[in-house]
Amino acid sequence: MKKDKVIVLQNIRHLESHLIVKGLNNQGQVLSFFASFALKSRKRFASGVLEPGGYIEVEYHPSKKEGGWNRLVQANILNKFSKIRKDYDRLDLALHCLKMFNKAGQEGIEGDPELFHLLGNTLTALETSSDLDSLKLFFEIRFLFLQGVLPTELQNKSVFFESTIKEHNQVDLSRENLPSIHQELKTALHQYLDI
């Protein structure tokens, strides 16, 4: 049996009471779990513990075959990011970030811990951010940079790399050509993730 800490990217209902859960661990690896009777077992999986966007500790039996699901035994919530779930715009942005990770992440491939930190810091900032547009911009630029697909023109925008994600709302973007940056990001995201 193994233990790990993951941010839940997605859960998919399987048959009547099972879930397939996809998560990102602190090494930036995508892991998939089969949670048998997850929708019925409150002892092993408390209400909401496997919801997308939650930071959880998992106990599981590793898959015996490559590409197979790990068998989830138990999960405990570490951070539910409750403030995000109380506001539609915050939840919408959180789901957008999770979708990007879900589409880009491939199971079994060695990850980058920076990806985990990017997602965790973004969810943390999302609970209190006063500028969701700026946070989204910072997240998308850094995500594409870590994936190695950020357009060269945007790599030269040091303003997005000089501050942390948590400091996104303190950065003065008034001198930046935001419509052009948004268009370049939209094109890059469509080409890379088809979103």
Side-chain angles (χ1 to χ4, degrees):
M1 180 134 44
K2 290 181 78 173
K3 282 189 176 186
D4 211 338
K5 295 176 182 177
V6 300
I7 297 173
V8 179
L9 300 175
Q10 178 185 42
N11 67 32
I12 301 168
R13 190 179 191 135
H14 182 72
L15 300 176
E16 282 190 30
S17 58
H18 311 301
L19 285 177
I20 298 163
V21 180
K22 196 171 176 182
L24 182 75
N25 74 4
N26 62 3
Q27 295 303 307
Q29 294 175 304
V30 174
L31 301 172
S32 289
F33 304 95
F34 183 76
S36 60
F37 300 102
L39 299 174
K40 289 186 177 179
S41 177
R42 296 292 176 222
K43 183 178 179 184
R44 293 182 305 136
F45 308 111
S47 179
V49 73
L50 299 177
E51 288 297 314
Y55 179 44
I56 63 175
E57 182 175 52
V58 294
E59 289 183 39
Y60 65 97
H61 293 290
S63 172
K64 293 182 179 171
K65 54 184 175 176
E66 193 166 327
W69 294 324
N70 301 298
R71 191 167 58 85
L72 193 58
V73 175
Q74 186 172 338
N76 297 303
I77 197 78
L78 299 173
N79 190 341
K80 209 171 193 172
F81 298 106
S82 299
K83 292 177 185 173
I84 292 173
R85 297 171 195 283
K86 295 176 183 176
D87 180 279
Y88 176 81
D89 292 330
R90 292 178 197 282
L91 182 59
D92 188 50
L93 181 51
L95 293 174
H96 171 72
C97 296
L98 295 173
K99 180 179 180 181
M100 287 173 61
F101 271 91
N102 196 34
K103 288 196 111 182
Q106 295 180 8
E107 188 152 354
I109 294 183
E110 190 172 321
D112 180 351
E114 284 302 311
L115 288 169
F116 175 82
H117 295 301
L118 173 63
L119 183 55
N121 289 333
T122 300
L123 292 173
T124 300
L126 195 47
E127 287 201 289
T128 58
S129 176
S130 59
D131 188 350
L132 297 183
D133 290 335
S134 176
L135 179 57
K136 181 179 181 184
L137 197 59
F138 270 74
F139 171 80
E140 289 178 345
I141 286 173
R142 289 176 182 217
F143 176 84
L144 291 173
F145 178 77
L146 289 172
Q147 296 294 324
V149 295
L150 183 67
T152 308
E153 306 79 40
L154 294 178
Q155 290 179 27
N156 299 328
K157 302 282 185 190
S158 61
V159 67
F160 295 105
F161 298 99
E162 292 171 346
S163 304
T164 66
I165 285 285
K166 293 176 185 177
E167 299 168 330
H168 70 280
N169 55 359
Q170 300 166 10
V171 177
D172 180 13
L173 298 176
S174 62
R175 288 190 255 170
E176 299 298 327
N177 183 352
L178 293 180
S180 172
I181 291 172
H182 283 296
Q183 186 56 49
E184 288 181 56
L185 278 175
K186 184 177 178 181
T187 301
L189 287 169
H190 180 70
Q191 289 173 345
Y192 182 57
L193 299 175
D194 196 27
I195 58 174

Short mmCIF file of all heavy atoms in Angstrom, two decimals, residues 73-123:
data_model
loop_
_atom_site.label_atom_id
_atom_site.label_comp_id
_atom_site.label_asym_id
_atom_site.label_seq_id
_atom_site.Cartn_x
_atom_site.Cartn_y
_atom_site.Cartn_z
N VAL A 73 -7.97 3.05 -1.60
CA VAL A 73 -8.47 2.41 -0.38
C VAL A 73 -9.17 3.43 0.51
O VAL A 73 -10.24 3.19 1.05
CB VAL A 73 -7.31 1.73 0.40
CG1 VAL A 73 -7.78 1.17 1.72
CG2 VAL A 73 -6.66 0.66 -0.46
N GLN A 74 -8.54 4.61 0.64
CA GLN A 74 -9.08 5.64 1.52
C GLN A 74 -8.56 7.01 1.09
O GLN A 74 -7.48 7.12 0.50
CB GLN A 74 -8.64 5.36 2.96
CG GLN A 74 -9.26 6.28 3.97
CD GLN A 74 -8.95 5.83 5.40
OE1 GLN A 74 -8.64 4.67 5.65
NE2 GLN A 74 -9.04 6.75 6.32
N ALA A 75 -9.33 8.05 1.37
CA ALA A 75 -8.91 9.41 1.07
C ALA A 75 -9.38 10.35 2.17
O ALA A 75 -10.48 10.20 2.70
CB ALA A 75 -9.49 9.86 -0.26
N ASN A 76 -8.51 11.27 2.54
CA ASN A 76 -8.82 12.27 3.56
C ASN A 76 -8.56 13.66 3.00
O ASN A 76 -7.54 13.88 2.35
CB ASN A 76 -7.97 12.06 4.81
CG ASN A 76 -8.25 10.73 5.46
OD1 ASN A 76 -9.38 10.42 5.80
ND2 ASN A 76 -7.21 9.91 5.58
N ILE A 77 -9.45 14.57 3.30
CA ILE A 77 -9.31 15.94 2.80
C ILE A 77 -8.25 16.69 3.58
O ILE A 77 -8.19 16.62 4.80
CB ILE A 77 -10.67 16.68 2.83
CG1 ILE A 77 -10.64 17.93 1.96
CG2 ILE A 77 -11.09 17.04 4.24
CD1 ILE A 77 -10.76 17.68 0.52
N LEU A 78 -7.37 17.39 2.87
CA LEU A 78 -6.37 18.26 3.49
C LEU A 78 -6.79 19.72 3.33
O LEU A 78 -6.61 20.52 4.23
CB LEU A 78 -4.99 18.02 2.86
CG LEU A 78 -4.44 16.61 3.03
CD1 LEU A 78 -3.15 16.44 2.23
CD2 LEU A 78 -4.19 16.30 4.50
N ASN A 79 -7.33 20.05 2.15
CA ASN A 79 -7.82 21.41 1.91
C ASN A 79 -8.91 21.32 0.84
O ASN A 79 -8.66 20.88 -0.28
CB ASN A 79 -6.70 22.34 1.45
CG ASN A 79 -7.13 23.79 1.41
OD1 ASN A 79 -8.31 24.11 1.38
ND2 ASN A 79 -6.16 24.68 1.40
N LYS A 80 -10.09 21.75 1.19
CA LYS A 80 -11.24 21.69 0.28
C LYS A 80 -11.37 22.95 -0.57
O LYS A 80 -12.14 22.99 -1.51
CB LYS A 80 -12.52 21.48 1.10
CG LYS A 80 -13.60 20.76 0.41
CD LYS A 80 -14.71 20.42 1.39
CE LYS A 80 -15.65 19.43 0.80
NZ LYS A 80 -16.62 18.93 1.74
N PHE A 81 -10.59 23.99 -0.21
CA PHE A 81 -10.70 25.29 -0.89
C PHE A 81 -12.16 25.74 -0.91
O PHE A 81 -12.73 26.07 -1.96
CB PHE A 81 -10.10 25.24 -2.30
CG PHE A 81 -8.63 24.91 -2.31
CD1 PHE A 81 -8.18 23.66 -2.71
CD2 PHE A 81 -7.69 25.85 -1.91
CE1 PHE A 81 -6.83 23.35 -2.71
CE2 PHE A 81 -6.33 25.56 -1.90
CZ PHE A 81 -5.90 24.31 -2.31
N SER A 82 -12.77 25.74 0.26
CA SER A 82 -14.21 26.01 0.41
C SER A 82 -14.65 27.37 -0.13
O SER A 82 -15.75 27.50 -0.65
CB SER A 82 -14.61 25.91 1.88
OG SER A 82 -14.35 24.61 2.35
N LYS A 83 -13.80 28.39 0.00
CA LYS A 83 -14.20 29.72 -0.46
C LYS A 83 -14.41 29.77 -1.97
O LYS A 83 -15.21 30.56 -2.46
CB LYS A 83 -13.16 30.76 -0.04
CG LYS A 83 -13.10 30.97 1.46
CD LYS A 83 -12.01 31.96 1.82
CE LYS A 83 -11.88 32.07 3.34
NZ LYS A 83 -10.73 32.88 3.73
N ILE A 84 -13.69 28.93 -2.69
CA ILE A 84 -13.85 28.87 -4.15
C ILE A 84 -15.25 28.38 -4.49
O ILE A 84 -15.90 28.89 -5.39
CB ILE A 84 -12.79 27.94 -4.78
CG1 ILE A 84 -11.39 28.55 -4.63
CG2 ILE A 84 -13.10 27.67 -6.25
CD1 ILE A 84 -10.26 27.65 -5.07
N ARG A 85 -15.73 27.40 -3.75
CA ARG A 85 -17.01 26.75 -4.05
C ARG A 85 -18.22 27.63 -3.72
O ARG A 85 -19.34 27.31 -4.10
CB ARG A 85 -17.10 25.42 -3.31
CG ARG A 85 -16.03 24.46 -3.76
CD ARG A 85 -15.95 23.22 -2.90
NE ARG A 85 -14.72 22.49 -3.10
CZ ARG A 85 -14.46 21.72 -4.15
NH1 ARG A 85 -15.36 21.58 -5.08
NH2 ARG A 85 -13.31 21.10 -4.25
N LYS A 86 -17.98 28.74 -3.03
CA LYS A 86 -19.08 29.63 -2.64
C LYS A 86 -19.30 30.76 -3.64
O LYS A 86 -20.19 31.58 -3.46
CB LYS A 86 -18.82 30.21 -1.26
CG LYS A 86 -18.82 29.16 -0.17
CD LYS A 86 -18.46 29.77 1.17
CE LYS A 86 -18.40 28.69 2.24
NZ LYS A 86 -17.95 29.21 3.52
N ASP A 87 -18.46 30.83 -4.68
CA ASP A 87 -18.53 31.94 -5.63
C ASP A 87 -18.44 31.37 -7.05
O ASP A 87 -17.47 30.68 -7.38
CB ASP A 87 -17.38 32.92 -5.36
CG ASP A 87 -17.38 34.09 -6.30
OD1 ASP A 87 -16.88 33.94 -7.43
OD2 ASP A 87 -17.86 35.17 -5.90
N TYR A 88 -19.44 31.67 -7.88
CA TYR A 88 -19.48 31.09 -9.22
C TYR A 88 -18.23 31.42 -10.04
O TYR A 88 -17.66 30.54 -10.70
CB TYR A 88 -20.74 31.57 -9.97
CG TYR A 88 -20.76 31.07 -11.39
CD1 TYR A 88 -21.18 29.78 -11.68
CD2 TYR A 88 -20.32 31.88 -12.43
CE1 TYR A 88 -21.17 29.30 -12.98
CE2 TYR A 88 -20.30 31.41 -13.74
CZ TYR A 88 -20.72 30.12 -14.01
OH TYR A 88 -20.70 29.66 -15.30
N ASP A 89 -17.80 32.69 -10.06
CA ASP A 89 -16.65 33.08 -10.89
C ASP A 89 -15.37 32.40 -10.43
O ASP A 89 -14.54 32.01 -11.26
CB ASP A 89 -16.48 34.61 -10.87
CG ASP A 89 -17.63 35.31 -11.58
OD1 ASP A 89 -18.20 34.72 -12.53
OD2 ASP A 89 -17.96 36.45 -11.19
N ARG A 90 -15.19 32.26 -9.13
CA ARG A 90 -14.01 31.57 -8.61
C ARG A 90 -14.05 30.09 -8.99
O ARG A 90 -13.04 29.51 -9.41
CB ARG A 90 -13.92 31.72 -7.08
CG ARG A 90 -13.63 33.13 -6.64
CD ARG A 90 -13.61 33.26 -5.11
NE ARG A 90 -13.73 34.64 -4.72
CZ ARG A 90 -12.74 35.54 -4.77
NH1 ARG A 90 -11.56 35.18 -5.16
NH2 ARG A 90 -12.96 36.78 -4.41
N LEU A 91 -15.21 29.48 -8.84
CA LEU A 91 -15.36 28.07 -9.18
C LEU A 91 -15.14 27.85 -10.68
O LEU A 91 -14.48 26.89 -11.08
CB LEU A 91 -16.75 27.57 -8.77
CG LEU A 91 -17.03 26.09 -9.03
CD1 LEU A 91 -16.04 25.19 -8.30
CD2 LEU A 91 -18.47 25.75 -8.61
N ASP A 92 -15.67 28.75 -11.49
CA ASP A 92 -15.50 28.64 -12.93
C ASP A 92 -14.02 28.68 -13.32
O ASP A 92 -13.56 27.89 -14.15
CB ASP A 92 -16.27 29.77 -13.62
CG ASP A 92 -16.30 29.61 -15.13
OD1 ASP A 92 -16.64 28.51 -15.61
OD2 ASP A 92 -15.98 30.59 -15.83
N LEU A 93 -13.26 29.59 -12.71
CA LEU A 93 -11.82 29.68 -13.00
C LEU A 93 -11.09 28.44 -12.49
O LEU A 93 -10.20 27.92 -13.16
CB LEU A 93 -11.22 30.96 -12.41
CG LEU A 93 -9.72 31.18 -12.66
CD1 LEU A 93 -9.36 31.03 -14.14
CD2 LEU A 93 -9.29 32.54 -12.12
N ALA A 94 -11.45 27.96 -11.31
CA ALA A 94 -10.82 26.74 -10.78
C ALA A 94 -11.05 25.56 -11.73
O ALA A 94 -10.12 24.81 -12.03
CB ALA A 94 -11.37 26.42 -9.39
N LEU A 95 -12.26 25.42 -12.22
CA LEU A 95 -12.58 24.32 -13.14
C LEU A 95 -11.82 24.47 -14.46
O LEU A 95 -11.40 23.48 -15.06
CB LEU A 95 -14.08 24.23 -13.37
CG LEU A 95 -14.90 23.81 -12.14
CD1 LEU A 95 -16.39 23.88 -12.43
CD2 LEU A 95 -14.50 22.42 -11.65
N HIS A 96 -11.63 25.71 -14.90
CA HIS A 96 -10.84 25.98 -16.11
C HIS A 96 -9.39 25.50 -15.91
O HIS A 96 -8.83 24.82 -16.78
CB HIS A 96 -10.88 27.47 -16.43
CG HIS A 96 -9.95 27.90 -17.51
ND1 HIS A 96 -10.15 27.60 -18.84
CD2 HIS A 96 -8.78 28.61 -17.45
CE1 HIS A 96 -9.15 28.11 -19.56
NE2 HIS A 96 -8.31 28.73 -18.75
N CYS A 97 -8.81 25.82 -14.77
CA CYS A 97 -7.43 25.41 -14.47
C CYS A 97 -7.32 23.89 -14.40
O CYS A 97 -6.39 23.29 -14.96
CB CYS A 97 -6.97 26.03 -13.16
SG CYS A 97 -6.87 27.83 -13.16
N LEU A 98 -8.27 23.25 -13.73
CA LEU A 98 -8.27 21.79 -13.62
C LEU A 98 -8.41 21.14 -14.99
O LEU A 98 -7.76 20.13 -15.28
CB LEU A 98 -9.39 21.32 -12.69
CG LEU A 98 -9.29 21.75 -11.22
CD1 LEU A 98 -10.55 21.37 -10.47
CD2 LEU A 98 -8.06 21.17 -10.56
N LYS A 99 -9.25 21.72 -15.83
CA LYS A 99 -9.45 21.18 -17.18
C LYS A 99 -8.15 21.23 -17.98
O LYS A 99 -7.82 20.28 -18.71
CB LYS A 99 -10.55 21.98 -17.89
CG LYS A 99 -10.84 21.50 -19.30
CD LYS A 99 -11.95 22.33 -19.92
CE LYS A 99 -12.27 21.87 -21.33
NZ LYS A 99 -13.33 22.69 -21.95
N MET A 100 -7.40 22.32 -17.84
CA MET A 100 -6.13 22.43 -18.56
C MET A 100 -5.17 21.33 -18.12
O MET A 100 -4.54 20.68 -18.94
CB MET A 100 -5.53 23.83 -18.36
CG MET A 100 -6.26 24.91 -19.11
SD MET A 100 -5.70 26.59 -18.73
CE MET A 100 -3.99 26.52 -19.23
N PHE A 101 -5.07 21.12 -16.81
CA PHE A 101 -4.19 20.06 -16.30
C PHE A 101 -4.69 18.70 -16.75
O PHE A 101 -3.89 17.82 -17.11
CB PHE A 101 -4.11 20.12 -14.77
CG PHE A 101 -3.02 21.00 -14.27
CD1 PHE A 101 -3.26 22.34 -14.00
CD2 PHE A 101 -1.74 20.49 -14.07
CE1 PHE A 101 -2.25 23.15 -13.55
CE2 PHE A 101 -0.72 21.30 -13.62
CZ PHE A 101 -0.97 22.64 -13.35
N ASN A 102 -5.98 18.50 -16.70
CA ASN A 102 -6.56 17.22 -17.07
C ASN A 102 -6.28 16.88 -18.53
O ASN A 102 -5.98 15.75 -18.88
CB ASN A 102 -8.06 17.24 -16.79
CG ASN A 102 -8.65 15.86 -16.77
OD1 ASN A 102 -8.02 14.89 -16.35
ND2 ASN A 102 -9.87 15.75 -17.22
N LYS A 103 -6.37 17.88 -19.41
CA LYS A 103 -6.14 17.65 -20.83
C LYS A 103 -4.66 17.46 -21.15
O LYS A 103 -4.31 16.71 -22.05
CB LYS A 103 -6.71 18.81 -21.65
CG LYS A 103 -8.23 18.81 -21.69
CD LYS A 103 -8.75 19.70 -22.78
CE LYS A 103 -9.35 18.81 -23.79
NZ LYS A 103 -9.90 19.26 -24.97
N ALA A 104 -3.79 18.14 -20.42
CA ALA A 104 -2.36 18.07 -20.72
C ALA A 104 -1.66 16.90 -20.04
O ALA A 104 -0.67 16.39 -20.55
CB ALA A 104 -1.68 19.38 -20.30
N GLY A 105 -2.17 16.49 -18.88
CA GLY A 105 -1.49 15.46 -18.10
C GLY A 105 -1.64 14.08 -18.68
O GLY A 105 -2.73 13.67 -19.07
N GLN A 106 -0.53 13.37 -18.75
CA GLN A 106 -0.55 11.99 -19.23
C GLN A 106 -0.03 11.09 -18.13
O GLN A 106 1.06 11.31 -17.60
CB GLN A 106 0.31 11.86 -20.48
CG GLN A 106 -0.22 12.64 -21.66
CD GLN A 106 0.65 12.47 -22.87
OE1 GLN A 106 1.57 11.66 -22.89
NE2 GLN A 106 0.37 13.23 -23.91
N GLU A 107 -0.80 10.10 -17.83
CA GLU A 107 -0.43 9.19 -16.76
C GLU A 107 0.82 8.41 -17.12
O GLU A 107 1.03 8.05 -18.28
CB GLU A 107 -1.58 8.23 -16.47
CG GLU A 107 -1.30 7.40 -15.26
CD GLU A 107 -2.57 6.97 -14.57
OE1 GLU A 107 -3.64 7.40 -14.97
OE2 GLU A 107 -2.45 6.20 -13.62
N GLY A 108 1.65 8.17 -16.11
CA GLY A 108 2.85 7.36 -16.30
C GLY A 108 4.05 8.15 -16.77
O GLY A 108 5.15 7.61 -16.86
N ILE A 109 3.86 9.42 -17.08
CA ILE A 109 4.98 10.25 -17.52
C ILE A 109 5.52 11.01 -16.33
O ILE A 109 4.75 11.54 -15.52
CB ILE A 109 4.53 11.21 -18.63
CG1 ILE A 109 4.15 10.39 -19.87
CG2 ILE A 109 5.59 12.24 -18.95
CD1 ILE A 109 3.75 11.18 -21.06
N GLU A 110 6.84 11.05 -16.22
CA GLU A 110 7.45 11.76 -15.11
C GLU A 110 7.01 13.21 -15.14
O GLU A 110 7.01 13.87 -16.18
CB GLU A 110 8.98 11.68 -15.21
CG GLU A 110 9.68 12.17 -13.98
CD GLU A 110 11.16 11.90 -14.03
OE1 GLU A 110 11.56 10.83 -14.50
OE2 GLU A 110 11.91 12.78 -13.59
N GLY A 111 6.61 13.70 -13.99
CA GLY A 111 6.08 15.05 -13.92
C GLY A 111 7.11 16.09 -13.52
O GLY A 111 8.29 15.80 -13.36
N ASP A 112 6.63 17.29 -13.32
CA ASP A 112 7.44 18.42 -12.88
C ASP A 112 6.78 18.98 -11.63
O ASP A 112 5.63 19.42 -11.69
CB ASP A 112 7.49 19.47 -13.99
CG ASP A 112 8.33 20.69 -13.64
OD1 ASP A 112 8.74 20.82 -12.46
OD2 ASP A 112 8.55 21.51 -14.53
N PRO A 113 7.48 18.95 -10.48
CA PRO A 113 6.88 19.49 -9.25
C PRO A 113 6.38 20.92 -9.39
O PRO A 113 5.46 21.33 -8.69
CB PRO A 113 8.03 19.41 -8.24
CG PRO A 113 8.92 18.33 -8.75
CD PRO A 113 8.82 18.41 -10.26
N GLU A 114 6.95 21.68 -10.31
CA GLU A 114 6.50 23.06 -10.52
C GLU A 114 5.04 23.12 -10.98
O GLU A 114 4.34 24.07 -10.69
CB GLU A 114 7.40 23.78 -11.52
CG GLU A 114 8.74 24.20 -10.95
CD GLU A 114 8.60 25.12 -9.74
OE1 GLU A 114 7.84 26.12 -9.82
OE2 GLU A 114 9.24 24.85 -8.72
N LEU A 115 4.60 22.08 -11.70
CA LEU A 115 3.20 22.03 -12.13
C LEU A 115 2.28 21.92 -10.93
O LEU A 115 1.25 22.58 -10.85
CB LEU A 115 2.99 20.86 -13.09
CG LEU A 115 3.60 21.02 -14.48
CD1 LEU A 115 3.56 19.71 -15.23
CD2 LEU A 115 2.88 22.11 -15.26
N PHE A 116 2.65 21.06 -9.98
CA PHE A 116 1.86 20.90 -8.76
C PHE A 116 1.81 22.22 -7.98
O PHE A 116 0.75 22.64 -7.53
CB PHE A 116 2.45 19.79 -7.89
CG PHE A 116 1.77 19.65 -6.57
CD1 PHE A 116 0.59 18.93 -6.45
CD2 PHE A 116 2.30 20.23 -5.43
CE1 PHE A 116 -0.05 18.79 -5.23
CE2 PHE A 116 1.67 20.11 -4.20
CZ PHE A 116 0.49 19.39 -4.10
N HIS A 117 2.97 22.87 -7.86
CA HIS A 117 3.02 24.14 -7.12
C HIS A 117 2.19 25.22 -7.83
O HIS A 117 1.51 26.01 -7.17
CB HIS A 117 4.46 24.60 -6.94
CG HIS A 117 5.27 23.69 -6.08
ND1 HIS A 117 4.95 23.39 -4.78
CD2 HIS A 117 6.39 22.98 -6.35
CE1 HIS A 117 5.82 22.54 -4.27
NE2 HIS A 117 6.70 22.27 -5.21
N LEU A 118 2.24 25.22 -9.15
CA LEU A 118 1.44 26.20 -9.90
C LEU A 118 -0.05 26.00 -9.60
O LEU A 118 -0.76 26.96 -9.29
CB LEU A 118 1.70 26.07 -11.40
CG LEU A 118 0.80 26.92 -12.31
CD1 LEU A 118 1.02 28.41 -12.05
CD2 LEU A 118 1.04 26.58 -13.78
N LEU A 119 -0.52 24.77 -9.67
CA LEU A 119 -1.94 24.52 -9.44
C LEU A 119 -2.32 24.80 -7.99
O LEU A 119 -3.31 25.47 -7.72
CB LEU A 119 -2.30 23.08 -9.82
CG LEU A 119 -3.78 22.72 -9.69
CD1 LEU A 119 -4.67 23.66 -10.48
CD2 LEU A 119 -4.01 21.27 -10.11
N GLY A 120 -1.51 24.33 -7.04
CA GLY A 120 -1.81 24.56 -5.63
C GLY A 120 -1.80 26.04 -5.27
O GLY A 120 -2.71 26.52 -4.57
N ASN A 121 -0.80 26.78 -5.75
CA ASN A 121 -0.74 28.21 -5.47
C ASN A 121 -1.86 28.98 -6.14
O ASN A 121 -2.37 29.96 -5.59
CB ASN A 121 0.62 28.78 -5.90
CG ASN A 121 1.74 28.32 -5.00
OD1 ASN A 121 1.54 28.01 -3.82
ND2 ASN A 121 2.95 28.24 -5.54
N THR A 122 -2.29 28.53 -7.32
CA THR A 122 -3.40 29.18 -8.00
C THR A 122 -4.71 28.97 -7.23
O THR A 122 -5.48 29.91 -7.03
CB THR A 122 -3.53 28.67 -9.45
OG1 THR A 122 -2.31 28.97 -10.15
CG2 THR A 122 -4.69 29.34 -10.16
N LEU A 123 -4.95 27.75 -6.78
CA LEU A 123 -6.17 27.48 -6.00
C LEU A 123 -6.16 28.26 -4.68
O LEU A 123 -7.19 28.79 -4.27
CB LEU A 123 -6.31 25.97 -5.74
CG LEU A 123 -6.60 25.12 -6.97
CD1 LEU A 123 -6.55 23.63 -6.62
CD2 LEU A 123 -7.92 25.48 -7.62
#
